[in-house]
Amino acid sequence: MSQIEKAILDLGALDCLARQRTAIHGIDPRAKVAVCLVFIATVASFDKYDVAALAPFAVYPAALMAAGGVPISLIGRFLVYACPFAILVGAFNPLFDRQIMLELGGVAVSGGWVSFFSIICRFLLAFSAALILVATTGLNAICASLTRLGLPRVLTALMVMLYRYIFLLGQEANRMKRAHDLRAVNDQGVDLRTYGSLASLLLLRAYARGERIHAAMLCRGFDGEMPMTAISRFSIGSAIFLIAWLAYFAAMRFLPLPRHLGEAFLEAAR
């Protein structure tokens, strides 16, 4: 099985997980979306050298994975797929910020390495929270919640269509890769020149497939707005979920306890 097929199957597994019936799946999607957005904003608000203070925020994705029946292996594979982008963002920090900030076991650690590790931690927390939101809610319900929260319908419709088109684009790329492998059995992978040809051909095939899909949607009465999932009334359990997590995020962000615990750990490691 190729890497493209594995990625498509993993993406489809998120949709399958969203159809489960657990306590987390029963929470109103608006509450889960609001909590996830506040979580990401809170994690991003820390200073670039704050690493220890991020540790308590790992409780949120861990708790939702356990309560929602989301396999950690599935989330881990998605994090591996996307981690190179986060590494690329902070890869040059150790080169430009060489001021020594601390020592661990007699090894001097510069501010660049601390900020680099902080970027990786924030990425892991934010991206895993977004993936768990999709796995416990479903993209249609997420977009419907964003519409109810004030996001323009045209943007939510684009999000739904782009998400669904990822599967079609992945299938086209997988067929092209399989066709190349069958015609070049002696080649060791795909060289750079062939990648350019395949990418241009994939763009043309995707454009033609998109026109056919749009024509089919018009024949079925598409008027520019995607039908959204109906959302039930906001329950007491959803309100408790929302208030409890927001209170936890506020406490971990503004109280000094997490930072003091991190500093104590670093002192013990020296």
Side-chain angles (χ1 to χ4, degrees), residues 6-260:
K6 292 179 181 179
I8 294 174
L9 290 176
D10 287 341
L11 197 58
L14 291 179
D15 278 340
C16 294
L17 290 171
R19 303 188 189 101
Q20 295 184 107
R21 295 184 179 274
T22 66
I24 297 299
H25 288 74
I27 300 295
D28 192 285
R30 288 168 292 181
K32 289 185 283 187
V33 169
V35 169
C36 183
L37 292 176
V38 173
F39 174 81
I40 294 174
T42 305
V43 168
S45 68
F46 282 93
D47 185 78
K48 64 179 181 179
Y49 297 125
D50 278 337
V51 177
L54 296 173
F57 289 89
V59 173
Y60 171 69
L64 261 64
M65 277 194 296
V70 181
I72 189 174
S73 58
L74 178 63
I75 302 300
R77 286 196 295 271
F78 277 105
L79 293 177
V80 171
Y81 294 151
C83 203
F85 296 100
I87 294 175
L88 185 62
V89 170
F92 296 99
N93 286 21
L95 299 178
F96 295 104
D97 187 357
R98 299 185 178 182
Q99 182 180 359
I100 303 301
M101 291 193 63
L102 52 91
E103 290 187 1
L104 292 177
V107 178
V109 181
S110 66
W113 284 109
V114 175
S115 61
F116 172 73
F117 189 65
S118 176
I119 290 174
I120 300 299
C121 290
R122 292 188 222 193
F123 164 78
L124 295 176
L125 290 172
F127 193 53
S128 61
L131 290 172
I132 295 168
L133 176 64
V134 176
T136 56
T137 309
L139 192 74
N140 288 336
I142 292 173
C143 291
S145 302
L146 291 173
T147 302
R148 295 285 294 275
L149 293 174
L151 194 69
R153 290 185 66 90
V154 63
L155 294 181
T156 56
L158 284 174
M159 289 173 59
V160 172
M161 288 170 40
L162 285 174
Y163 179 74
R164 295 306 173 192
Y165 201 72
I166 288 175
F167 293 94
L168 298 176
L169 191 63
Q171 291 169 4
E172 292 287 348
N174 188 52
R175 280 195 288 268
M176 292 173 56
K177 177 66 167 56
R178 186 181 295 114
H180 172 271
D181 293 341
L182 292 174
R183 289 167 174 79
V185 293
N186 294 324
D187 291 351
Q188 300 295 326
V190 183
D191 56 33
L192 187 60
R193 181 181 301 178
T194 306
Y195 261 122
S197 301
L198 291 177
S200 60
L201 183 58
L202 178 62
L203 178 62
L204 295 175
R205 290 169 65 96
Y207 180 77
R209 184 72 176 270
E211 285 189 325
R212 294 196 298 271
I213 292 174
H214 182 249
M217 293 171 66
L218 292 178
C219 292
R220 289 163 175 80
F222 178 66
D223 58 356
E225 292 189 358
M226 296 289 292
M228 296 296 179
T229 305
I231 298 179
S232 59
R233 296 180 61 183
F234 206 84
S235 63
I236 297 177
S238 300
I240 294 175
F241 175 87
L242 176 64
I243 295 172
W245 280 116
L246 293 184
Y248 178 78
F249 297 156
M252 294 300 102
R253 178 63 181 87
F254 298 109
L255 294 181
L257 178 60
R259 186 172 288 102
H260 290 339

